[in-house]
Amino acid sequence: MTENSQQPQPAPTTELPTQYAPAEVEGKLYERWVERGYFEADAKSEKPPYTVVIPPPNVTGSLHLGHAFEHTLIDALTRRKRMQGYETLWQPGMDHAGIATQNVVERELAKEGKSRHDLGREAFVERVWQWKAESGGQISGQMRRLGDAVAWSRERFTMDEGLSQAVQTIFKRLYDDELIYRAERIINWCPRCLTAISDIEVEYQDDDGELVSMKYGDGDDTIVVATTRAETMLGDTAVAVHPEDERYKHLIGKQVKLPLTDRSIPVVADEHVDPEFGTGAVKVTPAHDPNDFEIGQRHDLPAIAVMDEHAVITAHGPFQGLDRLEARSAIVAALRAEGRIVAEKRPYVHSVGHCSRCKTTIEPRLSMQWWVKVGPLAKAAGDAVRDGKVKIHPQEMEKRYFDWVDNLHDWCISRQLWWGHRIPVWYGPNGEVVCVGPDEEAPAGEGWTQDNDVLDTWFSSGLWPFSTLGWPERTESLAKFYPNSVLVTGYDILFFWVARMMMFGLYAMDGTPPFHTIALHGMVRDQNGKKMSKSFGNVVNPLDWMDKYGSDALRFTLARGANPGVDVPIGEDWVQGSRNFANKIWNATRFALMNGATVEGPLPDASRMSSTDRWILSRLNSVVAEVDAYYEDYQFAKLSDALFHFAWGEVFDWYVELSKTTFQAGGEAAEVSKRVLGEVLDVTLRLLHPVVPFVTETLWTTLTGGESVVIAEWPADSGFRDADAEREIETVQSVITEVRRFRADQGLQPGQRVPARLTLAGSPLAAHEAAVRQLLRLQPEGDAFTATATLPVAGVEVSLDLSGVIDFAAERKRLAKDLAAAEKEKAQATAKLGNEAFLAKAPDNVVDKIRGRLTKADEDITRIQSQLEKLPQA
């Protein structure tokens, strides 16, 4: 059959405790694994490499269910590959999280009555490093709690020296290749964080606002425009209409008076305007709207900024110094006073962008920023998937990927922060601009200054698959472990992170993509499928569940819900169920050890085995093959389900139970079954280990005496199959299941013993009579046996003597009453569903409910009639 990774040793004599206590073993086991170096990766190894990078959590973060879910999947993959003989590297590390981290430290300073400007840039950055050393990175300890098998000695941080060199190197190369440039464009500006943010860091939600229609110009030159941001009208430099709109052709090229100002603005014709929307005329504010900026570029319009970085009005006049929302109300009131308001709609629900970090409403703003020219980079990223160099799993997610990379706008990479990688560009006293590489000296002398901005956090994390391996140096680790084998990440950051890694990896690594496969998973939701949110009150701290039920229970629950690309609902009762599974594994292994299960010596020849032994070994090999196929297809839910049903349903509930009579009888058959049971448990524990590492480590080392299941050999399908044995045991299962169902229907207690006659002559089930009787609590028939019920099942007969156990007359009366009630329910449901008037008026959910009642009534009638037929006549 399958082989252990080490020479089989006798199981230790130490017995397992009566109960599994996760809190007493998990921490100790994890530290032992780390101390022994099981998770480390050797670049000099001749083993084939298997590399996965951790999506670097923010240094400000703590473990949430999304992390626990993703880490469980990655951990399962890497643990299995390690057992298969690969040199595995699960690369750990953290992201410096520019905006989030700066916000944390600024809040700390605010408690002291200070701002970052009080400290100055250098001292503030030093303060952030101090905060990181003292408080940052608590998630690392939480990852240990979960069991993450990462190479801790290789842990990296996006601001450490090596990664900073990588950032400066690629910036310089992109700059020299004219793929990085500086330009004044409309950006998303957060007035709270006081920085630009990229399109993908803007969260859109429906907000209650106002739609105000206002009149520009006078007399025949009047034109009406509508806006949700009335305060921006102070910066209008045109009104645009469609060139074919007959209503406004007479106005094109004319000037109209801009209310509340001493300016007149032109009416321009632009095909961007939709004549069917609103009045067909739009106000143009090039400094405060991306579409207006494009119109302004096409018509050479001036861009007048009317707000500062705090979103406070700077335009001269009575509104100067007002916050944008204060100004909005004041301007509408002023326009109303002048008779310029044509219509007002409140509330007007519309989609509004918010900063994903602080939830402040975003302000589009004209600003000088640094940009990546993404055209050629994005094309390469798209082609890599189209050409099959990189596979996206599940494949249906490819469309989302192409929709994104094929339509990428240039990427704004500068941020107006102090914490982050400072842009390596210096400006000279005479307008000089110099980009400095990592091995170059910055310009010295009077008048030279470095750019104040830092790079978008996603710029450095986009280098993660190769910067963590020592790039730009051609290190042994880079040669061994690049490209990564697979990227496991949520579909929600397909655009944030995945596309950037693809672009940078292909650019920096001579066309070699950063990974072979992108395996996308869904989001964790509550048990009702609702998004987890503090505002909903349904956020769960995974540490609480791990404290209560053990890390294995949480991991197994998450893995069982992990269908590729699909969101994962999770509830506490499911985690509790997984805890029960861990306890079942524990108790069954403990029973096996108490009954002499062993891995010592080779497996006996199949000719010496019972059909029960051959059946479980045949099923075991089928499950090994099934689990392998699911792993290769990233079907974590299916492989977890397969292992659950095999371990609990077949090994523990059937094989162990069917073998009890053999163990009790002793002799050669018992010795053979003990060895088979040891083999089955050995392999099953190894199959389960990647998903539930802690309980399997304790049980496997106790069972086998091996050093650790972490470094044990992954089971292989030996090819052994025995279809005859499988059919035979399926028949035994059918008989036992059917008789158990009958006993339950008759109200017998599970432990209540009943005289029975089994007609098994000529049946392969004859060899299982002792086990069948024991599992069904069936006594020998005796001299006074009377067959009051006979069940023909799977070609055999089981006759039961229920006299003295059941009052047949009372039972028949009870069942007759239940049958009458079910028939009445059926008649009522049938009548309603046959009433056309009722069906025409009743809501669909009411009709569906009645159909359900009819179906249940039919099922009840069939069941009760079957029970009555089996009862003997009084």
Side-chain angles (χ1 to χ4, degrees):
M1 306 304 300
T2 54
E3 297 290 335
N4 289 327
S5 63
Q6 302 152 11
Q7 290 296 318
Q9 303 174 38
T13 56
T14 304
E15 291 186 359
L16 290 167
T18 55
Q19 291 184 325
Y20 177 48
E24 295 177 13
V25 301
E26 290 179 349
K28 295 175 185 176
L29 285 181
Y30 191 85
E31 290 310 311
R32 185 190 308 162
W33 293 334
V34 173
E35 288 167 7
R36 293 180 179 179
Y38 293 155
F39 306 153
E40 296 303 325
D42 182 4
K44 293 182 170 63
S45 169
E46 294 184 0
K47 296 178 182 178
Y50 186 82
T51 316
V52 186
V53 294
I54 193 172
N58 288 353
V59 68
T60 58
S62 59
L63 189 75
H64 56 64
L65 272 177
H67 288 130
F69 173 53
E70 185 168 81
H71 290 199
T72 294
L73 305 187
I74 300 173
D75 197 43
L77 291 173
T78 53
R79 284 180 181 271
R80 172 175 174 260
K81 285 296 182 180
R82 185 179 294 109
M83 295 172 75
Q84 286 183 313
Y86 286 78
E87 192 63 32
T88 58
L89 168 60
W90 183 9
Q91 173 66 54
M94 286 182 292
D95 192 283
H96 66 278
I99 296 177
T101 306
Q102 180 157 319
N103 283 347
V104 167
V105 178
E106 287 196 87
R107 283 196 296 269
E108 293 293 316
L109 285 174
K111 295 175 184 176
E112 304 170 16
K114 298 178 182 177
S115 74
R116 60 181 163 125
H117 299 286
D118 294 325
L119 271 66
R121 183 170 193 142
E122 187 175 337
F124 177 77
V125 170
E126 181 58 37
R127 179 71 176 259
V128 180
W129 278 109
Q130 180 184 338
W131 175 88
K132 176 190 179 291
E134 294 173 357
S135 307
Q138 63 173 315
I139 195 170
S140 295
Q142 296 164 348
M143 287 164 58
R144 293 171 182 262
R145 284 285 315 278
L146 189 64
D148 285 5
V150 299
W152 286 114
S153 70
R154 292 172 171 266
E155 187 174 12
R156 303 304 297 270
F157 179 56
T158 49
M159 285 283 287
D160 68 27
E161 184 178 352
L163 271 66
S164 295
Q165 182 184 30
V167 168
Q168 196 172 352
T169 298
I170 201 162
F171 187 99
K172 171 69 171 173
R173 292 187 186 179
L174 289 164
Y175 181 86
D176 289 346
D177 287 343
E178 298 182 351
L179 293 173
I180 282 183
Y181 63 94
R182 193 168 184 243
E184 192 174 43
R185 299 262 189 90
I186 290 286
I187 47 91
N188 304 299
W189 181 263
C190 176
R192 160 62 184 78
C193 298
L194 297 179
T195 182
I197 63 174
S198 64
D199 291 343
I200 53 179
E201 293 171 298
V202 178
E203 293 179 349
Y204 287 90
Q205 66 184 47
D206 286 342
D207 286 357
D208 286 346
E210 60 182 9
L211 181 66
V212 178
S213 298
M214 47 197 181
K215 184 169 57 176
Y216 288 9
D218 297 294
D220 293 338
D221 293 343
T222 298
I223 192 165
V224 176
V225 298
T227 183
T228 58
R229 300 163 66 218
E231 67 278 9
T232 63
M233 61 85 60
L234 299 174
D236 286 359
T237 55
V239 173
V241 298
H242 193 276
E244 301 302 321
D245 193 333
E246 294 294 335
R247 294 171 293 177
Y248 303 119
K249 277 193 173 181
H250 69 289
L251 288 177
I252 295 173
K254 287 188 175 183
Q255 299 276 325
V256 295
K257 179 74 168 60
L258 180 64
L260 308 182
T261 73
D262 58 0
R263 292 190 292 118
S264 293
I265 57 176
V267 177
V268 299
D270 196 285
E271 292 188 352
H272 168 76
V273 179
D274 180 0
E276 302 298 321
F277 183 76
T279 64
V282 297
K283 59 190 287 297
V284 181
T285 321
H288 292 280
D289 183 274
N291 292 322
D292 293 2
F293 177 78
E294 298 296 333
I295 293 174
Q297 292 287 294
R298 288 193 289 272
H299 298 277
D300 198 25
L301 299 173
I304 301 175
V306 296
M307 276 180 264
D308 66 11
E309 65 269 24
H310 297 280
V312 171
I313 300 299
T314 57
H316 292 296
F319 312 108
Q320 186 175 7
L322 295 180
D323 172 80
R324 55 182 166 169
L325 298 182
E326 295 172 333
R328 183 176 300 170
S329 299
I331 287 170
V332 171
L335 289 168
R336 191 183 300 115
E338 288 191 4
R340 294 282 177 178
I341 298 297
V342 176
E344 298 178 68
K345 184 176 181 181
R346 296 186 186 88
Y348 178 71
V349 179
H350 61 134
S351 182
V352 178
H354 296 260
C355 173
S356 62
R357 299 297 194 285
C358 70
K359 311 309 176 187
T360 301
T361 300
I362 289 302
E363 190 63 46
R365 184 168 186 252
L366 187 63
S367 179
M368 182 67 76
Q369 301 284 345
W370 285 93
W371 305 80
V372 172
K373 184 179 180 181
V374 299
L377 302 174
K379 182 180 184 304
D383 289 346
V385 175
R386 289 188 173 92
D387 298 344
K389 290 181 181 178
V390 178
K391 297 188 183 303
I392 293 180
H393 186 87
Q395 191 174 0
E396 55 264 28
M397 287 285 181
E398 283 186 1
K399 183 180 184 301
R400 294 184 65 173
Y401 177 78
F402 291 136
D403 285 347
W404 181 256
V405 298
D406 292 348
N407 297 286
L408 267 180
H409 300 295
D410 284 1
W411 171 19
C412 177
I413 56 171
S414 45
R415 299 290 181 267
Q416 288 64 56
L417 305 171
W418 287 356
W419 173 245
H421 296 101
R422 195 166 176 180
I423 289 175
V425 171
W426 272 255
Y427 305 107
N430 299 311
E432 302 96 331
V433 179
V434 176
C435 180
V436 178
D439 300 322
E440 300 172 347
E441 290 291 331
E446 187 177 349
W448 283 92
T449 58
Q450 186 177 358
D451 195 297
N452 281 318
D453 291 350
V454 300
L455 288 163
D456 178 9
T457 299
W458 296 103
F459 190 95
S460 50
S461 59
L463 315 180
W464 192 248
F466 52 93
S467 63
T468 52
L469 297 173
W471 188 91
E473 300 299 323
R474 294 288 172 173
T475 63
E476 285 184 321
S477 290
L478 188 65
K480 177 74 174 180
F481 295 112
Y482 187 92
N484 290 192
S485 305
V486 62
L487 173 73
V488 179
T489 192
Y491 62 69
D492 59 321
I493 57 172
L494 182 62
F495 318 131
F496 283 81
W497 190 43
V498 179
R500 281 148 174 68
M501 286 190 291
M502 286 285 283
M503 290 191 295
F504 282 165
L506 289 160
Y507 173 80
M509 298 300 293
D510 303 319
T512 302
F515 18 73
H516 298 301
T517 301
I518 302 168
L520 297 172
H521 59 72
M523 303 296 100
V524 179
R525 296 179 177 269
D526 71 13
Q527 60 188 8
N528 299 313
K530 194 172 184 179
K531 180 181 178 181
M532 287 192 175
S533 166
K534 290 181 181 178
S535 61
F536 296 153
N538 61 352
V539 173
V540 174
N541 183 344
L543 296 171
D544 293 340
W545 282 352
M546 287 193 283
D547 288 342
K548 194 170 182 180
Y549 303 111
S551 298
D552 285 333
L554 176 64
R555 289 171 61 114
F556 194 70
T557 304
L558 291 166
R560 280 194 85 181
N563 290 297
V566 178
D567 288 346
V568 183
I570 184 172
E572 185 171 359
D573 53 338
W574 303 342
V575 184
Q576 185 175 354
S578 295
R579 188 271 313 273
N580 296 342
F581 179 50
N583 289 342
K584 184 75 171 181
I585 302 169
W586 182 272
N587 293 333
T589 305
R590 185 169 177 271
F591 167 84
L593 289 169
M594 290 170 61
N595 284 273
T598 180
V599 296
E600 187 175 4
L603 273 176
D605 188 78
S607 62
R608 295 174 56 203
M609 296 180 187
S610 67
S611 57
T612 308
D613 295 332
R614 297 194 305 277
W615 160 72
I616 197 62
L617 290 173
S618 180
R619 287 292 305 127
L620 176 67
N621 280 284
S622 294
V623 169
V624 169
E626 189 178 2
V627 168
D628 275 334
Y630 286 144
Y631 262 115
E632 295 305 314
D633 199 33
Y634 304 99
Q635 298 280 358
F636 296 98
K638 290 182 179 179
L639 71 89
S640 298
D641 249 8
L643 287 169
F644 175 84
H645 290 297
F646 175 71
W648 193 320
E650 296 187 80
V651 179
F652 305 148
D653 278 359
W654 284 109
Y655 181 71
V656 169
E657 294 299 321
L658 288 171
S659 299
K660 283 182 177 178
T661 54
T662 304
F663 293 149
Q664 292 165 0
E668 182 185 358
E671 295 305 311
V672 170
S673 291
K674 289 175 184 178
R675 178 65 187 89
V676 170
L677 179 54
E679 179 75 10
V680 171
L681 286 174
D682 168 24
V683 173
T684 302
L685 290 171
R686 283 187 276 151
L687 288 172
L688 282 165
H689 172 72
V691 181
V692 285
F694 294 108
V695 68
T696 51
E697 171 79 341
T698 305
L699 296 176
W700 187 86
T701 52
T702 303
L703 172 70
T704 68
E707 179 184 339
S708 172
V709 70
V710 175
I711 55 172
E713 185 178 334
W714 181 253
D717 175 9
S718 70
F720 176 82
R721 301 289 191 279
D722 191 323
D724 292 338
E726 290 195 34
R727 281 192 294 270
E728 184 175 319
I729 300 305
E730 284 171 8
T731 303
V732 173
Q733 292 171 327
S734 296
V735 170
I736 293 172
T737 300
E738 185 60 31
V739 175
R740 280 176 173 166
R741 184 181 296 116
F742 176 76
R743 286 177 56 111
D745 287 345
Q746 305 310 314
L748 296 178
Q749 295 301 312
Q752 192 169 358
R753 304 193 72 82
V754 177
R757 176 186 298 150
L758 274 63
T759 308
L760 303 175
S763 167
L765 269 65
H768 303 280
E769 181 169 354
V772 170
R773 283 186 175 277
Q774 181 165 311
L775 290 174
L776 290 173
R777 304 296 189 268
L778 302 180
Q779 295 176 335
E781 53 193 275
D783 294 336
F785 179 82
T786 302
T788 58
T790 299
L791 307 177
V793 186
V796 303
E797 285 189 349
V798 179
S799 299
L800 304 175
D801 184 354
L802 302 178
S803 55
V805 178
I806 296 176
D807 182 337
F808 296 121
E811 182 65 13
R812 184 173 290 279
K813 186 176 180 181
R814 182 185 71 80
L815 289 173
K817 183 178 178 182
D818 289 347
L819 180 62
E823 288 174 337
K824 181 179 179 181
E825 175 73 2
K826 178 179 179 178
Q828 291 175 340
T830 301
K832 282 192 175 183
L833 293 174
N835 185 332
E836 294 296 335
F838 169 78
L839 292 177
K841 295 178 181 178
D844 289 344
N845 65 317
V846 173
V847 175
D848 289 342
K849 188 175 181 180
I850 293 172
R851 289 195 179 109
R853 285 168 49 192
L854 178 60
T855 299
K856 185 177 184 304
D858 279 330
E859 292 172 350
D860 288 344
I861 290 168
T862 301
R863 174 179 56 79
I864 296 167
Q865 287 176 338
S866 174
Q867 290 175 243
L868 282 167
E869 289 170 4
K870 292 174 182 176
L871 277 179
Q873 296 297 320

